[in-house]
Amino acid sequence: MRYMLLIYNDEAAMANAPKEQTQQTLAAYGAYTEALKKSGAYIAGERLRPTQAATSVRLASGKTNVLDGPYADTKEQLAGFYMIEATDIDTAIEWGARCPASSTGTVEVRPIWEMAEYVAAAE
C-alpha cells in the first residue's frame, strides 16, 4: 500500500537556523532518503518552497478565486513529502518516525486511497 509522509515544520525556524544546523539537517534527509531507496520503500519525495510562493485556489459560484500564500495561518507549514510503499500502517509509521522532521516538527502518515478502492467505494 502507498502512504504519504507529509512533513510539517516551522518555516521561520528553518530559515533562521545556523548554517551548520542546516547542513546537518540536509545530511540527515539525504541519509533518510537513501535508506528509503535501499529498502525499496521510496516512490517519490520533494521539499516544497516556502509558503510565500504558494497560491491557493477556490471555486465559488463558478468563479475561480486565487489567493497568494497559504490558506491557513499555522505554526507549522507543509514543507515537503515522501510517497512510500509499505506493507501496513505500522511500517509506514516506523518510516515516519525515522524522518528527520519527526524530531523538529510533525510527520503526518496518511494512506493513499488507491483509485480502484475509491471507485469501488463510490459504487
Side-chain angles (χ1 to χ4, degrees), residues 8-110:
Y8 295 90
N9 264 321
D10 180 344
E11 285 181 355
M14 290 171 31
N16 295 320
K19 186 176 181 178
E20 183 178 302
Q21 182 182 345
T22 300
Q23 290 172 336
Q24 290 173 348
T25 299
L26 292 174
Y29 273 103
Y32 177 71
T33 302
E34 189 60 32
L36 280 168
K37 288 179 178 180
K38 282 184 179 179
S39 75
Y42 181 89
I43 297 173
E46 294 293 341
R47 181 178 178 188
L48 300 177
R49 291 191 179 268
T51 54
Q52 302 95 299
T55 302
S56 297
V57 179
R58 290 182 155 218
L59 189 62
S61 301
K63 183 180 178 196
T64 302
N65 296 312
V66 179
L67 305 167
D68 290 336
Y71 180 70
D73 186 24
T74 61
K75 182 182 176 199
E76 295 179 333
Q77 296 77 34
L78 181 60
F81 71 91
Y82 285 95
M83 182 186 298
I84 65 168
E85 182 76 33
T87 55
D88 54 39
I89 188 68
D90 293 330
T91 303
I93 289 170
E94 288 173 13
W95 278 113
R98 290 177 62 182
C99 181
S102 66
S103 64
T104 59
T106 303
V107 177
E108 179 181 346
V109 179
R110 188 182 300 188

